[in-house]
Amino acid sequence: MSNLQHVAIGDIDTSSVIERAKQNPETYRILEETLLNKSGNVGLHQQFRALFTLKSLKDHQSIDIIFKAFIDPSVLLRHELAYVLGQMGDIYAVPGLCNILENLEEDPMVRHEAAEALGALSHTSALDVLEKYHNDPCVPVAETCQLAIAKIKFHNDPALKENVPKDIVYTSNDPAPGKVSRSLDELRECYLNEELPLFERYRAMFGLRNLGTDDAVKVLCEGFKDKSALFKHEVAFVLGQMQNPAGAPALIKALDDPNEAPMVRHEAAEALGSIATPECLPVLKKYRNDYMQVVADSCAVALDMYDYEQSNEFQYTILPNAQ
């Protein structure tokens, strides 16, 4: 997952720019060359910008280009490819994502993100594959499959589908719909209860996000005590989405912890790049050469995100003539 989501070009009113880009024969060539690093000298942050530009185009040609990039050596990029495919909302991507989940030689972080993307797309054709891996030996993969199964069943049940929050400010397609409640105590109780199904706890997590208060951020930060790496990585993602500086100390602590799971540290790094307060900068610089490559890569991307947040750039994009 990525907190670049909130600044991707598709999240702002640029429909005319997108349409012009689609009609420009250079658009797809430039984006493919950049994403696939065909020149051999493209930085990871530039590949990310190309990826989120393709996300905004939302067509089969973009999806085909994204799938070509799964040969990239960067686990972080491959994981991000899967995330974006889920966010694009096109079931055209379902077979390819199933193949990635079924590839046992793929990095677990990428397989987990493919499973989450299948949940985001919420098409019942993915259920058989998700059921096959819902007890995967890799716990985060298994937990993600369980969440995705619950999300698909929720999405396809008219009675349940009505019980979702309305008019929320976030555009991401989340692993679970936010729980509808204005009670901080009620949401906290559900969120921190490790005896409850993960899907219900995720619903409380996104309910807290939707409250958007400093107190909600404090409760969310308590989630870093959880035993599930998957749960903690989602906490980091949500804090990055909120961009509330109150979440920065807990994220810094997670990134600083060498014993924390890489998927949590990586997500904490990207969240700090999104929050982009002065205290975030030194810790991102500290770990941009981390011994875990996925953490180092995340810090590099987060520093680019930090620069974007501090700049006057209109879009996080590389569309031709987009400015």
Side-chain angles (χ1 to χ4, degrees):
M1 285 192 195
S2 173
N3 284 297
L4 301 179
Q5 167 76 14
H6 78 281
V7 295
I9 184 174
D11 297 333
I12 52 182
D13 185 16
T14 55
S15 57
S16 61
V17 172
I18 292 169
E19 288 308 311
R20 288 201 305 273
K22 285 183 174 182
Q23 294 167 20
N24 183 343
E26 287 292 284
T27 296
Y28 295 96
R29 183 189 65 79
I30 292 171
L31 292 173
E32 181 171 342
E33 286 189 357
T34 304
L35 182 62
L36 274 61
N37 191 11
K38 290 185 176 180
S39 67
N41 58 8
V42 173
L44 186 61
H45 67 285
Q46 294 169 298
Q47 290 177 283
F48 267 61
R49 290 200 181 212
L51 173 60
F52 277 84
T53 306
L54 286 163
K55 171 185 174 289
S56 72
L57 299 180
K58 291 186 178 180
D59 56 21
H60 288 186
Q61 188 173 353
S62 300
I63 292 173
D64 289 339
I65 292 171
I66 291 171
F67 272 116
K68 289 180 184 179
F70 276 99
I71 61 171
D72 195 275
S74 169
V75 171
L76 181 68
L77 180 64
R78 298 200 307 275
H79 136 285
E80 207 73 18
L81 299 173
Y83 171 71
V84 164
L85 289 166
Q87 294 299 306
M88 290 175 78
D90 192 333
I91 62 171
Y92 176 72
V94 167
L97 288 166
C98 286
N99 289 339
I100 293 161
L101 175 56
E102 293 211 87
N103 180 5
L104 301 184
E105 295 182 0
E106 180 57 274
D107 188 276
M109 224 173 88
V110 182
R111 293 181 64 225
H112 130 75
E113 203 63 54
E116 185 173 293
L118 290 169
L121 295 174
S122 292
H123 197 263
T124 55
S125 62
L127 282 173
D128 286 346
V129 172
L130 290 166
E131 292 280 4
K132 181 178 177 180
Y133 296 103
H134 84 287
N135 285 320
D136 194 87
C138 177
V139 174
V141 172
E143 289 180 337
T144 307
C145 289
Q146 293 160 21
L147 275 168
I149 291 165
K151 171 74 181 294
I152 293 171
K153 290 180 177 178
F154 185 100
H155 180 84
N156 288 281
D157 186 329
L160 295 175
K161 195 176 175 181
E162 292 303 313
N163 187 28
V164 296
K166 305 293 192 296
D167 302 323
I168 59 173
V169 299
Y170 301 98
T171 60
S172 55
N173 189 342
D174 303 315
K179 186 176 178 66
V180 181
S181 174
R182 303 303 300 177
S183 169
L184 185 71
D185 289 340
E186 178 189 350
L187 290 171
R188 181 181 184 276
E189 182 178 357
C190 181
Y191 171 68
L192 296 176
N193 187 348
E194 294 188 27
E195 300 302 315
L196 291 176
L198 205 53
F199 186 73
E200 293 305 314
R201 299 182 66 206
Y202 265 51
R203 292 206 65 195
M205 184 191 304
F206 287 102
L208 287 163
R209 179 200 65 181
N210 296 342
L211 285 183
T213 63
D214 287 350
D215 286 339
V217 170
K218 291 177 184 177
V219 172
L220 284 165
C221 290
E222 293 183 56
F224 282 118
K225 300 173 185 176
D226 202 88
K227 64 184 179 184
S228 167
L230 183 74
F231 188 86
K232 289 183 286 187
H233 114 290
E234 198 70 30
V235 173
F237 171 76
V238 164
L239 290 172
Q241 272 195 314
M242 295 177 79
Q243 293 185 283
N244 187 322
L251 290 163
I252 290 172
K253 184 178 179 180
L255 179 55
D256 260 332
D257 185 355
N259 296 317
E260 186 55 270
M263 73 185 304
V264 180
R265 294 182 68 220
H266 118 77
E267 203 69 62
E270 290 196 13
L272 289 168
S274 179
I275 292 173
T277 55
E279 66 184 318
C280 302
L281 186 59
V283 73
L284 291 172
K285 288 182 175 179
K286 179 180 178 181
Y287 293 108
R288 64 182 165 189
N289 293 312
D290 192 80
Y291 73 100
M292 290 297 302
Q293 190 62 47
V294 72
V295 175
D297 286 348
S298 295
C299 288
V301 171
L303 285 166
D304 183 55
M305 188 67 246
Y306 183 98
D307 289 342
Y308 169 83
E309 292 287 356
Q310 302 298 322
S311 75
N312 293 319
E313 289 183 64
F314 179 52
Q315 302 152 349
Y316 192 87
T317 178
I318 60 168
L319 282 177
N321 303 316
Q323 299 297 327

